[in-house]
Amino acid sequence: MHVMINDRHGFVRESASFLLILEKIWKARGLNSEQVWAEIGERIRLAEELRAKGIRPRKGGQYRSTKLP
């Protein structure tokens, strides 16, 4: 809802709460949260690398990856 009404502060706060809940779920399922954060970091790194090279990910385009955010 915060994103719909452009409440940036509320959106940040709710996003942080959502991430905490996700971390609890990961822990309950035996997942190491560091692995998830590393995967997110890698996706961001790859997206930045592609943008720096001028490669724009597009559906049906020349470059596709499941690593793109």
Side-chain angles (χ1 to χ4, degrees):
M1 181 171 122
H2 294 289
V3 73
M4 292 170 48
I5 62 172
N6 202 24
D7 176 7
R8 190 175 181 91
H9 179 71
F11 184 53
V12 169
R13 190 178 62 252
E14 293 301 319
S15 295
S17 294
F18 177 70
L19 289 173
L20 288 174
I21 291 167
L22 273 178
E23 285 190 326
K24 288 179 183 180
I25 293 168
W26 298 336
K27 185 177 180 179
R29 297 293 183 171
L31 218 83
N32 182 344
S33 64
E34 294 300 318
Q35 291 173 293
V36 177
W37 292 118
E39 176 67 19
I40 291 170
E42 180 58 22
R43 289 177 186 219
I44 291 169
R45 185 203 62 76
L46 176 60
E48 289 171 351
E49 180 182 318
L50 293 173
R51 282 189 203 105
K53 291 179 180 180
I55 299 171
R56 300 285 187 248
R58 290 182 306 240
K59 185 175 182 177
Q62 64 182 356
Y63 190 86
R64 294 187 73 175
S65 172
T66 58
K67 297 277 186 206
L68 296 175

